[in-house]
Amino acid sequence: MKILLVFAHPESRSLNAALRHVAVQELEAQGHEVRVTDLYAQGWKSVVDRADFPVLDSDARLKPAAASKKSFEADALTEDVKAEIANLMWADTLILQFPLWWFAMPAILKGWVDRVFAYGFAYGVGEHSDKRWGDRYGEGTLVGKRAMLIVTAGGWNEHYAPRGINGEIDDLLFPINHGILYYPGYDVLPPFVVYSVDRFREADFEPTAECLRERMRTLPITQPIPYRRQNGGDYLIPIMNLRPELGDQNMTGFKLHLSGPTS
Ligand code: FAD
């Protein structure tokens, strides 16, 4: 397999960097080809602005989605973005690795998504009409590929449990897993999350590294999160609501979008 790991940590001696090394070593030992995009090391530009769209007239109003569409269609995105799109097309599997900062990904990684997931590439794909709301959520450019997160968190496992004060980890990661990765077509694997890392002792490293190696070994066969496909018949078009007869009637929120034995 071909794997792209996008890494977002500013320090090469960090725990994240050590875990990245473990993951890459294991993937290569399994015979996979790995490319790493190290966002801080390469000084990734993390904001969307006019400089992203050289095709735009200097006095034209900047409408980011329209400019992204025009630039993608004209093959006129900036070279750094084009290189990342080529990496995404090359890879069978995408791994995003980051420390959880304010319950989200670091800004530099969000900026990678904002700039690389262009209109026509990651969104705005397929027929948009009253009958069809595009190719997304299980369909799209990146369909057939896998994606997963490697995340470190200062909070405890218990703090992210279903009744934990931080909110459940699957809920916190839903906007990334479902909104960013599933949206353009990836099959999304359960995340690898390491908790309590600010209290990490040297003795904690090897057991964690071994769990990560196991996840890397099983990357090709791990079952994806069973998100519902937008165009699989579960949603009313065009309001894109889950059909009333599906899911637990008392359930609201993110879990509605998982298909299960009772759905
Ligand atoms: P490091 O600081 O590099 O290392 C962590 C510990 O691991 C250190 O004690 C270090 O000695 C040890 N270590 C490092 N490498 C090794 C190694 N090779 N072998 C053995 N031990 C090692 N946490 C949350 O849960 N939720 C949040 O919303 C959140 N928001 C944050 C916002 C900001 C701005 C910041 C800075 C932190 C936040 N945190 C939050 C905590 C954050 O998630 C952790 O600090 C981060 O995940 C730690 O990862 P790191 O790679 O930076 O670890």
Side-chain angles (χ1 to χ4, degrees), residues 7-11 13-19 22 97-104 151-156 159-160 166 169 172 194-206:
F7 181 74
H9 196 291
E11 171 58 59
R13 292 159 296 180
S14 61
L15 176 63
N16 265 276
L19 293 173
V22 166
Q97 184 184 347
F98 57 92
L100 196 66
W101 283 358
W102 288 110
F103 301 99
V151 183
T152 61
W156 300 10
H159 303 170
Y160 291 98
N166 288 349
I169 194 71
L172 295 170
V194 189
Y195 298 97
S196 307
V197 289
D198 294 327
R199 297 165 173 229
F200 226 62
R201 291 159 298 130
E202 213 159 287
D204 296 323
F205 187 79
E206 190 42 39

Side-chain angles (χ1 to χ4, degrees), residues 68-169:
S68 176
K69 180 174 192 272
K70 186 175 175 187
S71 304
F72 180 71
E73 283 171 358
D75 192 26
L77 290 162
T78 55
E79 291 306 317
D80 56 348
V81 169
K82 281 203 248 181
E84 287 306 289
I85 288 177
N87 278 337
L88 289 171
M89 294 309 290
W90 168 85
D92 313 301
T93 301
L94 169 67
I95 298 176
L96 303 181
Q97 184 184 347
F98 57 92
L100 196 66
W101 283 358
W102 288 110
F103 301 99
M105 54 173 70
I108 199 168
L109 180 56
K110 179 59 166 43
W112 178 87
V113 176
D114 289 345
R115 296 184 58 230
V116 174
F117 278 34
Y119 192 123
F121 174 63
Y123 70 108
V125 174
E127 177 193 335
H128 280 73
S129 66
D130 274 1
K131 303 214 165 34
R132 199 174 163 86
W133 210 261
D135 298 347
R136 55 176 203 166
Y137 294 122
E139 294 175 305
T141 306
L142 298 163
V143 78
K145 298 174 185 281
R146 313 189 127 216
M148 80 172 267
L149 306 180
I150 297 177
V151 183
T152 61
W156 300 10
N157 191 341
E158 292 85 344
H159 303 170
Y160 291 98
R163 293 170 67 84
I165 190 162
N166 288 349
E168 203 170 343
I169 194 71

